Amino acid sequence: MTVTASDHISGLVLCHAGGQRLAIPAQEVDAFEPAGEAARYAGAAFESDARAPADAKVLRHRELTLSVDRVEVFATPVPRLAVPSALSSSWGGALVCFVECAGELWPVVSLERLARGDGEAAR
Amino acid sequence: MKAPLEGRHRWLTMPSTFAVIIGLLLAVAYAWVAIDFPVGTRLSLAVVLGVLAGVINFIGDGFEQRRLMPLRLIAEGTVSPTRPNLLGAARAVASVPELSFWLCCGFIAVGAITTAILWGFVAEVPLAIMLRVGFIGLAIAPITATLALLLTQRRARPLLKEIVAAGLPSSELHRGLPTSFVLRQRLVVFAAIAAATPLLLLVDLALARMRRLVDVLAVAKTESIPSLADQQHLEGVWPVVGLVALVLIVVSVSAWLSGSSLGQPLRELALETERLARGEHGEPPFIAAEYESLAASGALAGIETQLLSLLTPLGRAASSLGSTTHQLGATRGSSQRHALEAANGTTLELARSAKEIAASAQSVSEFARHTLDTAQSGRTSAEGFLAAMREVRRGNQAIADSVVRLNKRVQQVGRIIEFIDGIADKSDLLALNAELEGNKAGEVGRGFSLVAAEMRRLAESVMVSTREIGRLIEEIRDATNAAVMATEAGVKATDAGAALAQSVGAGLQKIVEFANQSSDAMQSISLATSQQQLGTDQLVGAMAEILRSTEASSAANAQMKSAHQHLLTLATDLKGTISTYEVRTEKEGAP
Amino acid sequence: MADAHGHLLFACGSSLYGVPADTASEVVNVPALTRVPGAPSHLLGVFAHRGEVLPVVDLSRLTGKPLEDTARRAVVVRTPRGAVALTATRVLGVSTLEGSFDRLGESGVHQHLRGPAHAEQGEVAVIDTQTFVEFLASAG
């Protein structure tokens, strides 16, 4: 069980990509950008052949860009739920925790870790 | 083949013998009751009576047979059945009933007296008793004779008809039979006999019984008188009652016979008159009768014969008149007449062609009307079809509605089943976990696990059932969907049919209108031509009239004369015939 | 391997599996799952259960015999290394097994399956839950 610094997390960007859900800590999002060719599509993390739609939103964190179908910001603090051991290394260990928002379970992905994972993979 | 009239002479006289036997029985029965025979005399009386009756009947029958000799000769084939011979036989037959009467009357009276005298001498009976025996014979004789007359008459009538059938014309028979108007006398005599016979016998009986009572009382002791009277009274009642009944029966039978003998020919006469009144005349049938009835029958036969003889010359006269008129018409002559004839021919031709046109127009009109009728009936059929289609459509719609309702219900059931399935699923899960927990608790939880396992099985069987029901519901849903589609298709088809029928009806309506118009047109043509025809007919009539007047002036006088002569002869002929008819009816109609 | 408390048997597709009853915490109905980005295909998703996120593992995909339709039930297995839910097309209940409990293979998931063991219902592959969960963590 992954134990994090705080029991709660506040400020999440709730994203929809390829019909699936993922949440990104708000503080990791530097900017929302219009769709660009270079951006990585979050939907492909669920289905490898998924393609970003034309009106996709792009989230920037430093060098990393991630495109999703649509976004909304969720400000209320919600309890962190631990990532099961079986999933600890998923998406290059970018999975931080799970939260329950609006009656649904969301996986929380750290762009920071994702960028790091990419860097590790590139090495 | 049996000869005609064979054995009829014996057959005819049998009733008189029968009547004599009846009379004899009546007399004997009466004597036995009414007379106090001295001891030992009854047997001698019976012997004497039997012998004498046999002898007398034999003699009487001999008389009758002698009278019937002509009939017997024909029956035995000694003489041929020619008309005179048959007429002789018929006369004999007709006279036999009366003969029987007198013979019976006479011979029974004579026989009674002879019996009384003979018996008186043989048995040495007192004179009073002899007289009484004779009296009984005399009293019985008339009624016996009447019975013989009536019975013989009943046989004589059919026999006369047989003679007619054997070849004697009824008119000849009527003429040959003597007519006597004595019915009234006969009826008076018969009434007297019918009343007097029982009266005489009863008076005699009463006197005899009184005499016997007096005799008994004369020798009786004073104190035994009441009982003796009673005894006498009791002794005499039943024989007397029987006797009276017997006499009454004989008299009643005689009365009935007499009535029917009078009524029968009258009924036949009435029927024959009715037939004549209807105009069905032919050879008159013979109605056998006596006295006045016979006369009436003869008169009727005469009327019929005269009518027949009148019809023949009338027919001849009519045909003569026809040929004469024809001769008159055949006379033609001058050139003027020829011209007129030509004109007449033309007008006739015109009239004929007008008639033809009228006939054609009429037939076209008929045809148009026929078309109209057909079209109208077609339209009625189309309307009927339309109504039927609407009915079918309504039926289809009702089915569709029902199916939809059914579908809704099935869906409701499906939801319920889903609910049950959910509950069963949850139960299954709970039981499964309970089993697991029970197992973890070791021995302590064993029983708990068993119960949980049982509960699981239950829940699983419920789920199996719900799955089965779900499958069935799916099937029903498929079937009802198919039914809804089918009924929708049916509704569409009936709509199409109805539309078709409507268009057919409209088409037929147009035809009806056209046919109506054409029928009207043809009728007016027909009317016009008929009017024209009337005009030409009048023209033809006028022409014929002109022609006739021309003919009248140029007709040959000689032809007219000869025609006139013919008519005169005919008139004389007719007059003669009619006068005969009148004379004869007058003569025969008045009795 | 001892069979003190018996095994919870369940079917996944045509195969029968068994887990020691003391490691099987409960049986659940599989709810709507949340997919996890970048997760391997045998990890169907996660769901929250009693305040805990449980990953759902499809044994049929793991053994290379994918199912045609989704399983409704899952057996929750709890080990010191974590808890996982194993999909089951049918849960048969707790049974005592007989036979051998040797490794069924030397590579992949098969090295965490033991047998061939026998139950009333047929041949059973027994899952070594401890090593299995560790294997999942390394594979994920």
Side-chain angles (χ1 to χ4, degrees):
Chain A
M1 205 178 289
T2 308
V3 180
T4 50
S6 168
D7 281 350
H8 283 73
I9 182 168
S10 57
L12 286 168
V13 178
L14 303 180
C15 306
H16 294 266
Q20 303 302 323
R21 295 185 302 272
L22 74 158
I24 292 162
Q27 63 269 27
E28 289 190 358
V29 180
D30 297 339
F32 293 105
E33 290 177 3
E37 289 282 318
R40 180 176 178 179
Y41 181 49
F46 301 100
E47 300 288 339
S48 55
D49 55 351
R51 291 285 170 270
D55 60 345
K57 306 284 180 295
V58 175
L59 290 82
R60 172 174 286 279
H61 176 75
R62 298 192 192 132
E63 298 303 311
L64 179 76
T65 49
L66 187 71
S67 70
V68 294
D69 298 353
R70 57 193 169 88
V71 293
E72 56 188 298
V73 177
F74 192 77
T76 316
V78 284
R80 291 165 171 268
L81 296 172
V83 175
S85 62
L87 292 167
S88 54
S89 56
S90 286
W91 218 5
L95 200 59
V96 181
C97 66
F98 287 90
V99 290
E100 274 189 306
C101 290
E104 285 178 312
L105 194 62
W106 299 72
V108 180
V109 176
S110 164
L111 293 180
E112 175 72 48
R113 288 193 196 178
L114 196 60
R116 205 161 51 212
D118 284 351
E120 280 167 11
R123 270 199 298 270
Chain B
M1 194 179 121
K2 202 175 159 188
L5 310 172
E6 192 184 335
R8 286 324 222 182
H9 53 287
R10 294 261 169 237
W11 178 75
L12 183 61
T13 58
M14 261 178 235
S16 55
T17 309
F18 174 70
V20 168
I21 290 167
I22 293 287
L24 212 57
L25 284 176
L26 198 61
V28 168
Y30 182 80
W32 243 246
V33 172
I35 299 172
D36 291 322
F37 288 98
V39 182
T41 56
R42 287 181 193 234
L43 181 65
S44 55
L45 176 62
V47 171
V48 169
L49 194 61
V51 171
L52 269 176
V55 169
I56 283 170
N57 194 53
F58 179 73
I59 296 166
D61 202 44
F63 272 103
E64 285 173 336
Q65 287 306 321
R66 202 172 306 146
R67 175 67 67 88
L68 284 172
M69 191 55 79
L71 179 67
R72 191 177 160 185
L73 290 175
I74 293 170
E76 288 171 358
T78 318
V79 299
S80 58
T82 56
R83 284 187 184 184
N85 287 341
L86 283 171
L87 187 60
R91 277 190 180 137
V93 169
S95 68
V96 162
E98 290 259 359
L99 181 67
S100 290
F101 178 83
W102 292 119
L103 283 174
C104 276
C105 223
F107 276 106
I108 289 173
V110 171
I113 292 163
T114 316
T115 304
I117 294 167
L118 267 177
W119 177 57
F121 279 113
V122 170
E124 295 175 356
V125 287
L127 183 65
I129 292 176
M130 274 169 66
L131 283 177
R132 286 201 65 206
V133 167
F135 164 75
I136 289 167
L138 288 174
I140 291 296
I143 190 76
T144 309
T146 307
L147 200 60
L149 168 83
L150 291 170
L151 288 171
T152 312
Q153 218 166 50
R154 279 177 81 82
R155 288 201 164 181
R157 283 175 184 173
L159 191 52
L160 281 174
K161 282 185 181 169
E162 278 180 34
I163 290 169
V164 169
L168 182 65
S170 58
S171 51
E172 211 165 303
L173 178 57
H174 275 299
R175 274 197 299 278
L177 285 182
T179 41
S180 52
F181 301 105
V182 292
L183 186 61
R184 199 187 304 154
Q185 293 96 299
R186 291 288 186 274
L187 283 178
V188 169
V189 168
F190 178 69
I193 290 169
T197 306
L199 206 64
L200 271 173
L201 291 177
L202 289 176
V203 167
D204 172 66
L205 186 64
L207 285 173
R209 291 192 74 79
M210 213 196 325
R211 211 175 297 132
R212 191 195 298 169
L213 194 59
V214 170
D215 287 351
V216 168
L217 290 177
V219 294
K221 289 177 184 146
T222 320
E223 60 271 23
S224 61
I225 285 172
S227 63
L228 271 172
D230 279 350
Q231 191 190 336
Q232 284 293 315
H233 181 69
L234 285 171
E235 267 176 19
V237 168
W238 288 114
V240 170
V241 167
L243 190 66
V244 168
L246 189 63
V247 169
L248 283 177
I249 285 166
V250 171
V251 169
S252 303
V253 167
S254 304
W256 178 78
L257 282 172
S258 129
S260 70
S261 120
L262 198 64
Q264 174 65 24
L266 287 177
R267 208 159 36 243
E268 282 182 34
L269 271 175
L271 284 175
E272 180 59 17
T273 318
E274 267 172 34
R275 194 174 70 87
L276 205 59
R278 283 199 302 270
E280 299 167 7
H281 36 66
E283 180 63 28
F286 178 72
I287 298 168
E290 296 78 25
Y291 321 127
E292 274 87 341
S293 301
L294 179 65
S297 156
L300 192 68
I303 290 168
E304 245 182 297
T305 315
Q306 279 307 308
L307 266 176
L308 269 179
S309 69
L310 201 60
L311 280 170
T312 320
L314 265 175
R316 207 169 52 237
S319 69
S320 296
L321 264 174
S323 70
T324 313
T325 319
H326 182 71
Q327 277 176 5
L328 273 173
T331 340
R332 302 203 163 173
S334 71
S335 63
Q336 182 198 11
R337 217 173 58 238
H338 278 304
L340 280 170
E341 264 170 17
N344 193 20
T346 315
T347 42
L348 275 174
E349 185 59 30
L350 186 63
R352 198 177 56 75
S353 57
K355 210 171 277 177
E356 270 173 14
I357 293 167
S360 315
Q362 190 63 38
S363 72
V364 172
S365 171
E366 283 292 327
F367 179 71
R369 195 175 305 133
H370 184 67
T371 310
L372 185 66
D373 288 349
T374 312
Q376 223 131 21
S377 82
R379 211 182 57 168
T380 314
S381 309
E383 274 164 7
F385 178 66
L386 193 60
M389 276 297 181
R390 287 205 187 106
E391 199 55 42
V392 171
R393 190 187 192 283
R394 248 202 308 284
N396 268 340
Q397 197 59 58
I399 292 171
D401 292 348
S402 306
V403 170
V404 166
R405 271 204 301 281
L406 174 66
N407 221 350
K408 273 185 192 154
R409 289 275 179 278
V410 167
Q411 274 171 6
Q412 284 172 355
V413 172
R415 278 199 290 279
I416 292 166
I417 290 299
E418 271 170 25
F419 181 68
I420 292 171
D421 194 51
I423 290 172
D425 188 54
K426 281 199 179 77
S427 307
D428 182 54
L429 198 61
L430 279 173
L432 199 56
N433 285 313
E435 189 187 352
L436 193 58
E437 289 306 317
N439 210 271
K440 282 177 192 164
E443 273 311 309
V444 185
R446 184 77 65 196
F448 189 63
S449 290
L450 286 175
V451 173
E454 201 55 45
M455 196 176 149
R456 276 197 69 210
R457 266 196 287 284
L458 193 66
E460 270 171 1
S461 78
V462 169
M463 281 192 286
V464 167
S465 299
T466 54
R467 262 197 295 281
E468 183 62 23
I469 293 170
R471 197 179 58 73
L472 289 174
I473 286 174
E474 273 312 306
E475 275 177 21
I476 292 172
R477 204 170 289 163
D478 288 351
T480 51
N481 282 343
V484 166
M485 278 194 305
T487 48
E488 270 169 8
V491 167
K492 277 193 191 113
T494 48
D495 280 349
L500 193 66
Q502 223 149 10
S503 75
V504 168
L508 285 168
Q509 173 62 36
K510 273 189 190 131
I511 293 174
V512 165
E513 280 162 16
F514 288 144
N516 242 332
Q517 286 169 6
S518 107
S519 177
D520 286 351
M522 282 306 148
Q523 257 156 3
S524 51
I525 291 172
S526 182
L527 186 65
T529 45
S530 298
Q531 283 165 350
Q532 186 205 344
Q533 196 189 335
L534 193 66
T536 44
D537 279 351
Q538 283 169 351
L539 188 59
V540 169
M543 292 300 287
E545 196 57 45
I546 294 166
L547 205 58
R548 259 201 299 285
S549 43
T550 324
E551 275 169 355
S553 63
S554 64
N557 277 336
Q559 293 278 357
M560 286 299 282
K561 253 181 202 166
S562 96
H564 192 236
Q565 195 55 49
H566 269 291
L567 282 171
L568 268 179
T569 322
L570 277 171
T572 323
D573 220 330
L574 276 172
K575 208 172 154 191
T577 315
I578 289 160
S579 72
T580 320
Y581 178 58
E582 279 170 359
V583 168
R584 291 213 39 115
T585 47
E586 257 174 30
K587 195 179 85 187
E588 299 208 14
Chain C
M1 186 172 165
D3 192 20
H5 296 293
H7 286 74
L8 179 65
L9 303 190
F10 62 96
C12 187
S14 56
S15 306
L16 277 183
Y17 299 95
V19 290
D22 47 1
T23 63
S25 73
E26 65 179 307
V27 182
V28 295
N29 273 343
V30 180
L33 296 179
T34 301
R35 294 281 302 276
V36 179
S41 69
H42 62 262
L43 276 166
L44 300 179
V46 294
F47 67 96
H49 184 64
R50 303 187 202 280
E52 185 184 10
V53 175
L54 289 178
V56 178
V57 176
D58 185 353
L59 277 171
S60 67
R61 291 193 186 203
L62 207 54
T63 53
K65 290 179 270 182
L67 285 179
E68 285 178 4
D69 51 349
T70 54
R72 291 198 308 127
R73 294 271 162 88
V75 175
V76 179
V77 177
R78 198 169 290 282
T79 68
R81 284 284 287 149
V84 290
L86 304 174
T87 55
T89 47
R90 202 167 156 244
V91 180
L92 304 171
V94 181
S95 285
T96 309
L97 295 178
E98 284 170 7
S100 57
F101 294 88
D102 304 324
R103 280 186 185 176
L104 288 174
E106 293 304 321
S107 63
V109 72
H110 296 289
Q111 53 187 321
H112 309 292
L113 300 178
R114 294 167 190 276
H118 301 286
E120 252 178 80
Q121 294 87 345
E123 200 166 287
V124 180
V126 178
I127 300 169
D128 185 346
T129 47
Q130 302 287 343
T131 60
F132 180 71
V133 172
E134 277 168 19
F135 162 76
L136 286 177
S138 63

